[in-house]
Amino acid sequence: YAAAGSYSASTSSGLTQTVNKATPVITFAAAPNPTYLGGNFSVSATTTSTDSTTLSYTWVSGPCTLVSGSTFSSSGAGACVVRADGVATTNFTAAFQTQTVTIGKATPAITFGAAPAPDPLTGTFTFSAGTSNTDSSTLTYSRVSGPCTQVSGPQFSSTGPGTCVVQASGAATTNFNSATQTQNAASTQCYVKAGGDNTGTSWNHAYPDLQTALGGSLCTEVWRAAGTYKPPSGASRSATFQLKNGVALYGGFAGTET
């Protein structure tokens, strides 16, 4: 300073002002909506650092792994947490931000084997199905419609000619949704044998009357055990069995053939 009045001149050292680095803001775009086994997914984030827009991504927690860059793969369903990092630069501090990606459950495929045919002796038939659910291979079976009843598990019993519809169901698990599938099993082969209980579904449950089988709208093939069969009781002596187009009649069986 210059001298003035009673003050002499003086000097002072320079003033240094330290400017701190700015802290950038890292912002993720909307989280993707992947599903387990549905392929890889990618996240995306930006930074307000004007020195460098480069970000690196890492796995933090959950059922996922880093593939490369910002691409991840799922190893199950659930909450996957990923992190984006920006390094310190000349004017900006290091910074990071996380994002939670919800990985949805996969929907398994339930596949039936070949449709079963009723056992000729018992009238029972067994369904078989598998599931792509790797958490649990357990399936439960139930009747949907048609002339059949469930015996136990995948085994059903025919209660008459027609189409039995059965459903296989898999419960929801940690990584998979619940799922169902149906299969049709047709029973159009009918049996005739003296002493049968009139369902026609097997030798053990045969129609005792031949005309009933021949007239059954869903019977396309009739197996008749050896014996003497007459038209319905009360018919005249000139009465005959009425055959039907499209229905094949086979006879002379012992009643145990399969």
Side-chain angles (χ1 to χ4, degrees):
Y1 298 95
S6 59
Y7 296 96
S8 60
S10 67
T11 60
S12 63
S13 59
L15 178 65
T16 300
Q17 180 69 46
T18 300
V19 179
N20 294 325
K21 292 182 178 183
T23 299
V25 176
I26 295 177
T27 305
F28 274 95
N33 296 295
T35 57
Y36 177 48
L37 302 179
N40 296 339
F41 62 93
S42 296
V43 296
S44 176
T46 57
T47 176
T48 57
S49 171
T50 53
D51 288 351
S52 174
T53 58
T54 300
L55 295 173
S56 62
Y57 297 86
T58 54
W59 168 87
V60 177
S61 64
C64 57
T65 56
L66 177 66
V67 178
S68 65
S70 61
T71 300
F72 294 78
S73 65
S74 64
S75 55
C80 164
V81 182
V82 301
R83 172 169 161 163
D85 283 86
V87 299
T89 59
T90 302
N91 299 304
F92 291 85
T93 63
F96 72 89
Q97 186 59 269
T98 61
Q99 183 177 59
T100 299
V101 178
T102 300
I103 301 171
K105 294 182 178 183
T107 298
I110 294 177
T111 306
F112 277 94
D119 181 273
L121 289 177
T122 63
T124 59
F125 44 100
T126 302
F127 291 82
S128 177
T131 175
S132 61
N133 184 334
T134 53
D135 289 348
S136 173
S137 60
T138 300
L139 295 173
T140 58
Y141 296 84
S142 59
R143 173 187 172 276
V144 177
S145 63
C148 56
T149 57
Q150 186 173 19
V151 178
S152 177
Q155 187 178 61
F156 291 76
S157 177
S158 176
T159 58
T163 299
C164 172
V165 182
V166 167
Q167 177 173 282
S169 304
T173 58
T174 301
N175 299 305
F176 290 85
N177 293 313
S178 61
T180 62
Q181 187 59 272
T182 60
Q183 185 175 53
N184 297 349
S187 174
T188 57
Q189 184 170 295
C190 299
Y191 300 83
V192 178
K193 183 181 179 181
D197 62 9
N198 209 35
T199 64
T201 58
S202 66
W203 287 124
N204 292 350
H205 302 284
Y207 288 124
D209 173 62
L210 177 59
Q211 188 59 59
T212 300
L214 293 174
S217 61
L218 297 176
C219 296
T220 60
E221 190 173 291
V222 176
W223 287 23
R224 177 182 58 80
T228 301
Y229 297 88
K230 299 179 180 180
S233 176
S236 67
R237 295 180 62 84
S238 61
T240 59
F241 290 108
Q242 301 299 307
L243 300 181
K244 187 177 178 181
N245 288 335
V247 178
L249 175 62
Y250 302 93
F253 293 103
T256 58
E257 291 82 358
T258 59

